[in-house]
Amino acid sequence: MDNFFKDTPDFKFHLEHPIMKKIVALKERNFSESEKYDYAPINHEDAIDTYEKILEIVGEICADTISKNAEGVDVEGPHIENNKVVYAKGTTADYKALYEAGLIGMSLPRKYEGLNFPLLPYVMAAEMVARADAGFANIWGLQDCAETIYEFGSEEQREKYLPRFNRDGATAAMVLTEPDAGSDLQSVKLKATFNEEDKKWYLNGVKRFITNGDADISLVLARSEEGTTDARGLSMFIYDRNDHAVQVRHLEKKLGIKGSPTCELVFKNAPAELVGKERFGLIKYVMALMNSARLGVGAQSVGIADAAYREALKYAEERAQFGKVIINFPAVYEMITNMKVRIDALRSLLYETTRFVDVTKVYEDVMQERPLEKEERMEMKGYAKLANVFTPLLKLMASEACNVIAYDSLQIHGGTGFMKDFPIERIYRDARITSIYEGTTQLQAVAAIKGVTTGVYLEQIKNYEAKVFEENVTLKTKLQEMTVSFEEITQQVIDTHHTELLDFHSRRLVEMAGNIIMGYLLLLNSQRDEKFNKSAKLFINLVSSENKEKFDYINNFNIENLDLYKLVPTELLEPQV
């Protein structure tokens, strides 16, 4: 199988984005660390070369190890043995391969034995891992927890926990959900009690649906303030599995991502360390952690979609019916071309969002060493604003498209795709979770609608519009027309001053904005590389009709009809005589 990095030229294209010079220079402190670490880059070109070499190693491991183990892992899955989760043999081999290549803790600073990579190459690695095996991507991708410890933990906690990722291959988990607190995390009840005698915190309670729950290092959301019932009573804690105070009571049997253990955990006087300040657990620390996780699901979704597309293309080029291979039938080549076009658009949104997050985070990192200049503070604030609304937009658009692409790929396989003879059956099952975990599509719409109502999306759309060359006037005009319709229908909904109506149409409005944004991103890509010309043209034509349909639905919607959606009339549930 081809190297996953080499067979996707888009990775190099996005690494060469102009803003990467700023990101790399800030991340590398203007390359001053080259004097202390012999493996630190000496300039921008050296840094990009390093990223590409590491990503090539990731691509090789994905092709030669992770993808080849995926089917076996899906069949075997993890199990509990002596109160410990034991991975499938293929999962253990996958993690070992990445650990031995030094790819755990990629984005951590070198002083904590990381590679000090920006998010962009790390997210690219995550996309490749997900393409190889979406379930394993969860286990490897939870090293995001290390970033949270670095961002909010004390220096003592950093020195204690962070080197374990690269040095020991430590695994991680974000332990948030409970039986009665899924999306509504402010209802978390797991109790954290401070013991005045030994000056330690202890955790008691149950957590459910915890991905990689029996990890070496866990970040746990718990209620530290007696008598509280809302988010203000929650704090975040580090639990170390070496303390052996948690029972793995149950492993969930799932539709997909079977190699990734999903655990029910029972905490019994489990010693833990407070991260940062009390009461900030949900409102600050978990929100930051969740945003990283949503970026990760965006990468996972693109990786799964790419895997599904490649399986469809391969099958359609080999499968003959009625005297010719099926890729020559319009009904099939339309589906396959639209898959590729959407993946190009989604990947552009993924890495645009990652760049916004990257600039924000590198400035936050710099702030720990020196005050930012006024211009730097303003720039950081602007990128943070974009990152906050682009992250839920990405998660919504990528996960939903991922499911459609997997669905269409299985359809192209026909009855064969419904069997376990081809990887698409597993890929199709794995795709389904992406629009559910780390905040459902419906919750992403609630978060992303702020980008609509505050005008952040529209402002950024105007920024993109200003960068389009004159020779692209036809596609630019079409995007401008879509933007006018988006502005008009958004204002129409806002002017009703009806909160429930805005919520009702939020997903449609967010998707309209997302389609315009991805259209501009592809058009701007085509100005840097003509290989995107086809995708830009086809995608803009495609989403123009989609946005028109959403516009017409909202425009013709009678506000009185909201009540018809609220309850199913009881008479419809009663048996007819």
Side-chain angles (χ1 to χ4, degrees), residues 445-548:
V446 170
I449 194 64
K450 295 171 187 173
V452 175
T453 57
T454 60
V456 176
Y457 292 142
L458 187 58
E459 182 183 357
Q460 189 61 14
I461 286 168
K462 299 292 185 182
N463 288 338
Y464 293 142
E465 179 188 326
K467 297 175 183 177
V468 176
F469 297 161
E470 283 303 315
E471 57 261 36
N472 289 317
V473 65
T474 303
L475 292 178
K476 179 180 179 179
T477 300
K478 186 162 282 192
L479 286 167
Q480 288 173 324
E481 290 169 353
M482 291 169 64
T483 304
V484 169
S485 295
F486 169 67
E487 283 186 86
E488 179 186 328
I489 204 66
T490 296
Q491 198 58 51
Q492 184 175 311
V493 174
I494 291 173
D495 286 347
T496 65
H497 303 290
H498 198 297
T499 305
E500 194 171 344
L501 184 70
L502 178 63
D503 288 346
F504 184 80
H505 288 309
S506 61
R507 179 172 170 182
R508 279 176 279 273
L509 292 170
V510 167
E511 287 177 338
M512 288 177 76
N515 284 339
I516 298 168
I517 287 168
M518 287 190 287
Y520 270 114
L521 289 174
L522 283 176
L523 190 52
L524 294 175
N525 287 351
S526 72
Q527 295 179 172
R528 290 175 51 215
D529 191 330
E530 62 182 16
K531 73 177 182 180
F532 289 99
N533 287 343
K534 176 180 174 180
S535 289
K537 183 175 183 179
L538 292 179
F539 182 79
I540 292 168
N541 285 337
L542 183 65
V543 297
S544 175
S545 60
E546 290 180 0
N547 276 23
K548 186 178 185 305

Side-chain angles (χ1 to χ4, degrees), residues 222-371:
R223 189 160 297 281
S224 58
E225 311 306 308
E226 196 78 45
T228 62
T229 57
D230 61 8
R232 290 169 292 182
L234 299 171
S235 302
M236 179 182 279
F237 299 86
I238 301 173
Y239 168 72
D240 189 333
R241 186 173 66 178
N242 291 332
D243 288 317
H244 304 292
V246 171
Q247 177 192 352
V248 185
R249 186 157 69 182
H250 177 64
L251 278 182
E252 303 293 343
K253 296 177 181 178
K254 301 174 296 188
L255 173 70
I257 56 166
K258 292 186 175 182
S260 166
T262 303
C263 308
E264 182 170 288
L265 306 173
V266 181
F267 287 76
K268 298 179 179 178
N269 287 324
E273 297 179 28
L274 177 69
V275 177
K277 299 178 182 178
E278 291 176 55
R279 295 177 173 263
F280 283 82
L282 178 58
I283 61 178
K284 185 173 183 180
Y285 309 143
V286 169
M287 286 300 102
L289 180 59
M290 289 290 282
N291 275 339
S292 293
R294 286 164 181 167
L295 188 63
V297 176
Q300 183 183 45
S301 298
V302 175
I304 294 171
D306 197 12
Y309 159 71
R310 290 171 190 266
E311 290 297 325
L313 180 61
K314 180 183 175 184
Y315 186 82
E317 288 177 335
E318 295 173 353
R319 174 66 167 168
Q321 289 286 278
F322 307 104
K324 59 182 179 181
V325 288
I326 64 172
I327 198 168
N328 290 326
F329 292 102
V332 175
Y333 67 62
E334 180 195 10
M335 291 170 74
I336 291 178
T337 299
N338 282 342
M339 287 181 200
K340 178 63 168 65
V341 166
R342 284 198 188 276
I343 290 168
D344 285 349
L346 292 169
R347 189 173 281 130
S348 297
L349 180 62
L350 169 62
Y351 294 118
E352 180 78 336
T353 305
T354 305
R355 288 186 288 266
F356 294 156
V357 177
D358 243 335
V359 176
T360 306
K361 283 191 173 292
V362 290
Y363 271 134
E364 288 173 348
D365 203 8
V366 168
M367 282 172 61
Q368 298 189 34
E369 298 175 8
R370 65 167 175 84

Side-chain angles (χ1 to χ4, degrees), residues 120-161:
L120 195 76
Y122 168 62
V123 170
M124 287 176 177
E127 183 193 325
M128 287 189 279
V129 171
R131 174 185 152 193
D133 181 355
F136 179 71
N138 286 345
I139 298 170
W140 181 76
L142 277 163
Q143 58 185 283
D144 281 349
C145 294
E147 278 291 320
T148 303
I149 295 173
Y150 172 67
E151 193 171 351
F152 301 112
S154 65
E155 184 57 33
E156 183 183 356
Q157 288 171 334
R158 292 173 180 176
E159 292 176 357
K160 178 180 179 181
Y161 293 107

Side-chain angles (χ1 to χ4, degrees), residues 36-109:
K36 186 175 181 181
Y37 301 95
D38 59 6
Y39 59 95
I42 60 173
N43 55 40
H44 180 77
E45 291 70 25
D46 190 22
I48 297 296
D49 184 61
T50 300
Y51 303 156
E52 290 182 0
K53 286 177 179 175
I54 294 296
L55 288 170
E56 195 171 319
I57 293 170
V58 176
E60 182 180 343
I61 293 171
C62 286
D64 296 343
T65 303
I66 301 173
S67 64
K68 290 181 179 177
N69 288 334
E71 293 297 325
V73 168
D74 185 63
V75 172
E76 181 185 349
H79 65 276
I80 300 174
E81 199 172 291
N82 298 322
N83 195 41
K84 184 177 180 181
V85 171
V86 178
Y87 293 141
K89 291 187 284 292
T91 303
T92 302
D94 296 343
Y95 205 83
K96 181 182 178 185
L98 289 168
Y99 164 62
E100 290 179 347
L103 299 173
I104 311 299
M106 288 175 68
S107 59
L108 290 176

